Amino acid sequence: MVAIPRPLATSRFTRARWLVLAPHADDETLGAGALVAQAAAAGRLAGVVYLTDGAGSHDAGGAWLARVRRREAALAVRRLGGCDAPPPLFLDWPDAHPHQPGSAAWHATLRQLAALIRARRVDAIAVTGADEPHCDHTACRTIAITAIRAARRSVTLFDYRVWTDPAVPPARTTFRTQPMPVGQRRHALMAHRSQTGAPMAPASALRAMPGGCRATTFST
């Protein structure tokens, strides 16, 4: 039986303070753009956090590209959440080389994220789901789960999809945001110019965006 998404606006989570964790800059728009927009409009967006620094998205990348990705991400978050949305935070992991659980870098990130959860009184975290195929997406979820435990705060974890196989059934309990105004999601995605336009991104690297996908469906 296919789960019917419940409206987030009529659930108890509509008053939660939301933190959105994204493996890469642009995943926030592709997977949870409408959630960012809805939470920000209600004054309930605790922030958007990116796991990786973005420096390795192109062969000719490096520190200069990481700086570009930061500017693009900040613009995308403003286009989704408005000028009052909290500036995004980068955890600066290397692309496609996640830190191993138990390493010094892992524990440093864990402490940083747990402190953020406490300081911003986070009630709900949206992160990439368990069936996402990319190693950074998997690591993002794993560090989120561990950080919630370390924060010692009651936080509900939600999944959103970016690259999950559509054949994978959703969880039993799913929620759906309100749809964004026409064009807002595309406008936010276009902020990530290094990822969406030639000549920096080859044709194979462009991410197709379904034209009618203006709401976020996610699960817990």
Side-chain angles (χ1 to χ4, degrees), residues 94-218:
D95 282 309
H97 292 86
H99 298 308
Q100 293 301 307
S103 66
W106 170 275
H107 282 295
T109 299
L110 178 61
R111 291 191 296 270
Q112 183 180 6
L113 197 51
L116 183 71
I117 291 170
R118 291 191 295 268
R120 299 195 181 181
R121 306 186 309 281
V122 173
D123 305 307
I125 291 179
V127 68
T128 40
D131 296 307
E132 293 281 298
H134 196 290
C135 61
D136 291 338
H137 291 222
T138 303
C140 197
R141 176 183 172 80
T142 302
I143 195 71
I145 293 171
T146 311
I148 289 173
R149 294 170 183 161
R152 297 183 178 181
R153 180 176 171 84
S154 179
V155 179
T156 304
L157 187 72
F158 293 81
D159 294 348
Y160 65 84
R161 294 182 170 193
V162 179
W163 293 117
T164 300
D165 187 338
V168 176
R172 283 188 175 183
T173 304
T174 60
F175 295 88
R176 187 174 183 83
T177 63
Q178 298 168 346
M180 291 185 287
V182 174
Q184 184 180 5
R185 185 169 181 262
R186 181 176 294 277
H187 188 49
L189 188 60
M190 289 301 101
H192 298 285
R193 293 183 61 186
S194 66
Q195 307 303 297
T196 59
M200 286 203 61
S204 60
L206 298 181
R207 300 188 175 189
M209 185 178 68
C213 186
R214 295 188 290 118
T216 299
T217 301
F218 53 101

Side-chain angles (χ1 to χ4, degrees), residues 9 11 20 22 33 35-36 58 79 82 106 157 176 188 202 215 219:
S11 76
V20 175
L35 175 61
V36 173
H58 296 75
R79 288 179 176 180
W106 170 275
L157 187 72
R176 187 174 183 83
S219 58

Side-chain angles (χ1 to χ4, degrees), residues 29-45:
T29 300
L30 290 167
L35 175 61
V36 173
Q38 183 170 330
R44 310 301 296 178
L45 181 65

Side-chain angles (χ1 to χ4, degrees), residues 12 19 26 36 70 74 85 94 104 142 200:
R12 65 186 178 91
L19 185 69
D26 76 358
V36 173
R70 284 175 180 267
T142 302
M200 286 203 61

